[in-house]
Amino acid sequence: MSQNIFICGCARSGMGLLARNMRAFTDIYVAPRAGSAASFADLPQHKGSISMKRNAAAFETLPDLPADVGLIYMTRHPFDVLTSVHPGHDRKGKPHPYYVSRKRWLEEYDALDELRRRQPDRDILFIRYEDLVSDPDGVQQQIADRFGLRQRVPFSRHEDFLSTYIAKWRTDPRMRAYILSFPPFFTRHVKRFAQDFGYSPSFANVRAAEAETAGRQ
């Protein structure tokens, strides 16, 4: 089954990791650059499926995603997204060194909410970053089953998947301080996202880690 497959999610949620590994399927063209859903029309003709990672502005048109475009939506624990550092991103002089601002995180989540409101029958394949790095071959099978793709090589043999970027805030006091500085309105959205996708909001765990650190000093 040939299909256009759009890989979306908030930045630092594993979209790039998944996009690279789509080459582990046969009969698929993986777009070399990120784009919007409209960018599929500009890609070379291909008899098989086509996959593309979304670009930074794609959230603005996500609620109007055409029905014939398949959607993979990456999720990751909000604490890890909001304390992730992009290696090529200079945040000197900014309030914090992290790549994804609270405003941008909310915009991405709001766009997903609006998509689900406008297209309640859309079949979205949600993939958690944590599952991708802990069970890449299982995630590959989910994608194959959903989009009728054939495996060329297992994900686990295509790339090394590292789980070292999960919950780094547990041992980083600056990350914990930033998380605990979230205003109440934003904390409510984080908790709603966590409930939506099966994460623990973990604010109590952050406070416990802070107390444990203080007790050792």
Side-chain angles (χ1 to χ4, degrees), residues 137-182:
D137 295 340
V139 168
Q140 184 181 21
Q141 189 62 56
Q142 290 181 52
I143 298 170
D145 292 343
R146 178 64 60 86
F147 297 106
L149 301 176
R150 291 183 298 161
Q151 180 189 95
R152 178 176 62 82
V153 63
F155 274 8
S156 59
R157 288 174 51 196
H158 190 260
E159 182 165 346
D160 291 331
F161 290 82
L162 304 176
S163 60
T164 53
Y165 298 106
I166 295 176
K168 291 182 70 174
W169 56 266
R170 292 182 184 274
T171 56
D172 190 314
R174 187 178 184 185
M175 289 181 179
R176 294 198 300 267
Y178 176 58
I179 292 168
L180 292 176
S181 76
F182 293 167

Side-chain angles (χ1 to χ4, degrees), residues 24 37 45 69 76 78 86 107 130 150 157 159 176 186 189 196:
Q45 294 296 313
V69 175
R76 187 181 181 188
H86 193 292
E107 287 173 339
E130 294 81 1
R150 291 183 298 161
R157 288 174 51 196
E159 182 165 346
R176 294 198 300 267
F186 186 75
H189 285 286
D196 203 0

Side-chain angles (χ1 to χ4, degrees), residues 11-59:
R12 313 307 289 165
S13 293
M15 289 180 295
L17 178 63
L18 178 60
R20 290 194 304 271
N21 280 278
M22 294 299 285
R23 296 184 178 92
F25 293 110
T26 64
D27 299 326
I28 190 166
Y29 174 79
V30 178
R33 290 180 296 277
S36 67
S39 303
F40 280 106
D42 301 325
L43 295 175
Q45 294 296 313
H46 184 72
K47 64 179 181 179
S49 294
I50 299 174
S51 73
M52 180 172 58
K53 173 189 168 185
R54 67 103 173 111
N55 62 16
F59 75 94

Side-chain angles (χ1 to χ4, degrees), residues 12 84-91 97-99 165:
R12 313 307 289 165
S84 181
V85 178
H86 193 292
H89 188 66
D90 184 4
R91 292 302 298 262
Y98 309 119
Y99 185 68
Y165 298 106

Side-chain angles (χ1 to χ4, degrees), residues 38-152:
S39 303
F40 280 106
D42 301 325
L43 295 175
Q45 294 296 313
H46 184 72
K47 64 179 181 179
S49 294
I50 299 174
S51 73
M52 180 172 58
K53 173 189 168 185
R54 67 103 173 111
N55 62 16
F59 75 94
E60 297 174 352
T61 55
L62 182 66
D64 298 313
L65 188 67
D68 61 349
V69 175
L71 178 60
I72 298 176
Y73 199 95
M74 295 293 302
T75 69
R76 187 181 181 188
H77 196 295
F79 291 176
D80 288 329
V81 170
L82 291 159
T83 59
S84 181
V85 178
H86 193 292
H89 188 66
D90 184 4
R91 292 302 298 262
K92 289 181 180 178
K94 300 295 177 64
H96 58 78
Y98 309 119
Y99 185 68
V100 178
S101 68
R102 294 195 296 260
K103 177 178 181 294
R104 181 52 188 266
W105 185 88
L106 279 175
E107 287 173 339
E108 295 281 4
Y109 191 24
D110 286 346
L112 175 62
D113 272 349
E114 184 63 15
L115 168 69
R116 293 191 288 186
R117 187 188 70 79
R118 294 187 194 178
Q119 303 184 34
D121 296 327
R122 173 176 282 278
D123 189 10
I124 304 172
L125 177 57
F126 290 102
I127 294 178
R128 294 171 24 136
Y129 169 85
E130 294 81 1
D131 296 333
L132 178 60
V133 298
S134 64
D135 184 19
D137 295 340
V139 168
Q140 184 181 21
Q141 189 62 56
Q142 290 181 52
I143 298 170
D145 292 343
R146 178 64 60 86
F147 297 106
L149 301 176
R150 291 183 298 161
Q151 180 189 95
R152 178 176 62 82

